């Protein structure tokens, strides 16, 4: 019989790659991320984009169909902010074969929202990056309307 010492387990977890661990957020941070990405997503319908925008603007009582759940997905998001050229801000969002680029204020809004949702910063070549893959958000409209702190959840891979 092989005995595993607790110290060995500790080193196993420390040496495991951080990228293999998934990220998640919920509540107001997840709602912000879903609303910003949902606005740009080709898979999100116009009525759902409008409802997400209303929720993000503080209108929890916006009319919606009962039991409505809005899915917002993106294959990848990569945002960067210059730390040498401090005027540089850009994001690239990937939805299947479609890529969308943001610059300036809109890029910064998404960059800051990624960080707010727990996406780690990575610095390289004069810029800081906040990147994720496999974004999958669900917004439960009835739960958001309850104003009890729930209703939005996002999962992603850092």
């Amino acid at each position: 019989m092989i005995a595993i010492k607790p110290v060995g387990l500790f080193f196993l977890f420390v040496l495991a790659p951080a990228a293999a661990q998934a990220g998640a957020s919920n509540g107001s941070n997840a709602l912000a991320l879903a609303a910003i990405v949902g606005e740009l997503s080709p898979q999100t319908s116009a009525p759902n984009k409008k409802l997400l925008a209303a929720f993000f603007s503080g209108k929890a009582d916006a009319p919606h169909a009962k039991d409505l759940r809005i899915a917002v997905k993106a294959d990848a998001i990569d945002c960067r902010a210059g730390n040498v050229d401090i005027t540089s801000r850009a994001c690239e969002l990937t939805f299947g074969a479609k890529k969308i680029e943001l610059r300036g204020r809109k890029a910064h809004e998404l960059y800051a929202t990624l960080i707010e949702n727990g996406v780690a910063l990575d610095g390289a070549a004069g810029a800081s990056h906040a990147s994720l893959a496999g974004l999958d958000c669900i917004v439960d409209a009835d739960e958001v309307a309850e104003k009890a702190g729930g209703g939005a959840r996002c999962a992603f891979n850092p």
Side-chain angles (χ1 to χ4, degrees):
M1 182 169 191
I2 299 174
I4 299 176
K5 295 182 180 182
V7 173
L9 284 175
F10 172 76
F11 285 113
L12 177 65
F13 288 117
V14 168
L15 296 176
Q21 299 175 6
S25 64
N26 57 56
S28 65
N29 293 343
L31 177 62
L33 184 56
I36 292 167
V37 174
E39 175 186 359
L40 303 166
S41 173
Q43 293 103 0
T44 305
S45 69
N48 286 349
K49 288 179 181 189
K50 185 176 178 181
L51 182 58
L52 288 171
F55 284 162
F56 194 37
S57 295
K59 298 176 183 139
D61 60 350
H64 63 274
K66 185 169 173 32
D67 298 324
L68 177 64
R69 293 172 57 98
I70 302 170
V72 175
K73 298 179 184 239
D75 295 315
I77 300 173
D78 180 35
C79 291
R80 62 190 179 282
N83 53 23
V84 175
D85 176 0
I86 63 171
T87 67
S88 175
R89 292 185 179 2
C91 292
E92 181 177 90
L93 295 87
T94 305
F95 302 97
K98 182 171 181 149
K99 293 190 186 283
I100 296 174
E101 291 191 20
L102 301 176
R103 301 230 178 261
R105 185 180 295 263
K106 284 285 199 182
H108 183 75
E109 179 182 47
L110 180 54
Y111 174 81
T113 303
L114 291 176
I115 295 167
E116 184 177 70
N117 277 272
V119 175
L121 285 176
D122 184 27
S128 295
H129 286 260
S131 301
L132 60 78
L135 177 66
D136 187 2
C137 298
I138 297 292
V139 177
D140 182 321
D142 293 336
E143 197 175 342
V144 171
E146 290 174 4
K147 296 183 185 179
R153 294 172 248 332
C154 292
F156 52 85
N157 294 312

